[in-house]
Amino acid sequence: MSKFSVVTSVYKNDKPEFVKRALDSITILQNRRPNEVVLVVDGAVPKELSALINNYVNLSPDLYNVIWLPENKGLGHALRVGVENAKYEIIARMDSDDVSASDRFEKQISYMEKHPECDIVGGQITEFIDSESNIVGKREVPCSHDEILMWLKGRCPFNHVSVTMLRSRVIAVGNYLDWHFNEDYYLWIRMAEAGYRFANLPDTLVNVRVGREMYARRGGWKYFKSEKGLQDYMVRHKMISHPRYCYNIFGRFVIQVVMPNRLRGFVFRKLFRT
């Protein structure tokens, strides 16, 4: 059976009770458990969170590889460090406040074993506020390689927290790079450009904790410039046409800059979620 690592990170604003729920969901509550959890601590964290992490290490020293970074440099940098320090070729991503389904790794690792040509395997996610049973949305992404490549031209084709991927392929294209709110999309674009194979499972693999302010964070000039930069990259590298570029930029400008937060939230829930 294939061995695999999980890469995740925490920082000072993460709540210990959410981190505990997330870590338990990828370890003791999994049907197929990981061989390693690479936990990157992105800068100084409160004593309660630090104590929680140390407790997990003390209980399972052979499972946890904790990397304490001296200062916070953001998610892209933390994930880059995590990938570089992972022992195994198969890497699964997880965020510090989400909840993985108990059969997540059983399904994903099995799929990768049966399809060695596949370099990334993601899945569907649900989103909840406060209680895990309070599902407020579901983000569905296409499953086949060709559909994913088409989707990539306009939107991020993976649910980042749901992916498993091959470490060597990620490193070959430069690993995670800092890109405001879009470190994952930028990585998928470069992997597509390199000709790697993609898949998403139709199953819901992760229940994602979202705040009521989530849609506000997906707007504003800084977010728009980040998204525009990715579109600039794709048109410059001939991954999209100029008409498609203009269409993508116009839509993003309207939603991310012109549209007020409340209306943006409605649009995201109704058009970009099911």
Side-chain angles (χ1 to χ4, degrees):
M1 294 177 67
S2 300
K3 293 185 176 182
F4 68 101
S5 304
V6 178
V7 172
T8 188
S9 70
V10 299
Y11 79 124
K12 63 181 181 180
N13 290 342
D14 285 325
K15 295 184 178 181
E17 62 269 29
F18 295 168
V19 174
K20 183 180 188 303
R21 180 71 176 104
L23 291 177
D24 287 348
S25 80
I26 58 170
T27 54
I28 60 174
L29 299 178
Q30 278 294 314
N31 297 345
R32 182 168 181 174
R33 299 181 183 181
N35 303 92
E36 176 189 46
V37 175
V38 182
L39 175 57
V40 182
V41 184
D42 192 13
V45 295
K47 290 182 179 179
E48 186 180 358
L49 181 54
S50 178
L52 175 73
I53 295 168
N54 286 325
N55 184 55
Y56 274 98
V57 174
N58 291 334
L59 290 173
S60 305
D62 294 331
L63 176 63
Y64 284 93
N65 176 14
V66 179
I67 302 166
W68 301 83
L69 300 181
E71 59 180 306
N72 179 281
K73 292 189 176 181
L75 181 61
H77 177 74
L79 295 182
R80 181 183 184 88
V81 171
V83 169
E84 289 172 349
N85 284 275
K87 290 181 183 178
Y88 302 109
E89 172 67 351
I90 298 177
I91 294 175
R93 267 286 291 123
M94 180 62 178
D95 272 354
S96 57
D97 55 359
D98 299 331
V99 182
S100 283
S102 61
D103 58 356
R104 174 190 169 182
F105 297 145
E106 183 178 43
K107 290 177 177 178
Q108 285 184 287
I109 305 303
S110 176
Y111 184 93
M112 296 192 83
E113 290 171 338
K114 293 175 182 177
H115 299 86
E117 76 284 356
C118 195
D119 302 296
I120 305 177
V121 178
Q124 317 306 316
I125 62 170
T126 50
E127 296 171 330
F128 71 94
I129 293 178
D130 299 329
S131 168
E132 292 175 33
S133 62
N134 182 29
I135 304 296
V136 297
K138 181 176 182 180
R139 185 171 190 262
E140 295 184 312
V141 287
C143 293
S144 74
H145 175 74
D146 290 342
E147 289 177 314
I148 290 170
L149 289 184
M150 287 299 297
W151 188 286
L152 180 93
K153 295 180 179 182
R155 295 166 60 187
C156 184
F158 290 102
N159 290 308
H160 188 199
V161 299
S162 77
V163 302
T164 55
M165 52 196 173
L166 298 183
R167 177 179 182 273
S168 61
R169 304 296 196 267
V170 174
I171 291 176
V173 299
N175 206 338
Y176 282 94
L177 297 172
D178 185 42
W179 199 290
H180 179 68
F181 272 112
N182 280 295
E183 297 91 351
D184 56 326
Y185 194 3
Y186 186 32
L187 177 59
W188 316 144
I189 289 170
R190 286 178 284 126
M191 293 184 77
E193 193 176 17
Y196 294 136
R197 299 288 301 182
F198 300 155
N200 279 310
L201 300 182
D203 310 87
T204 298
L205 302 180
V206 184
N207 197 11
V208 175
R209 190 184 305 273
V210 296
R212 300 182 188 278
E213 75 286 353
M214 177 183 71
Y215 303 113
R217 294 200 307 267
R218 294 183 178 178
W221 278 105
K222 190 173 183 180
Y223 193 89
F224 171 73
K225 289 178 180 177
S226 172
E227 293 260 325
K228 180 180 181 299
L230 293 179
Q231 301 300 316
D232 291 344
Y233 180 97
M234 286 195 285
V235 74
R236 189 167 61 246
H237 288 245
K238 302 186 186 305
M239 298 177 71
I240 58 174
S241 66
H242 284 280
R244 181 57 187 263
Y245 170 83
C246 293
Y247 174 83
N248 289 348
I249 292 297
F250 177 77
R252 282 165 167 77
F253 180 78
V254 170
I255 293 173
Q256 295 163 3
V257 178
V258 177
M259 195 171 287
N261 290 341
R262 181 175 296 182
L263 181 56
R264 183 185 305 116
F266 175 82
V267 170
F268 266 97
R269 286 192 299 270
K270 297 301 182 181
L271 299 183
F272 300 140
R273 300 292 192 275
T274 58

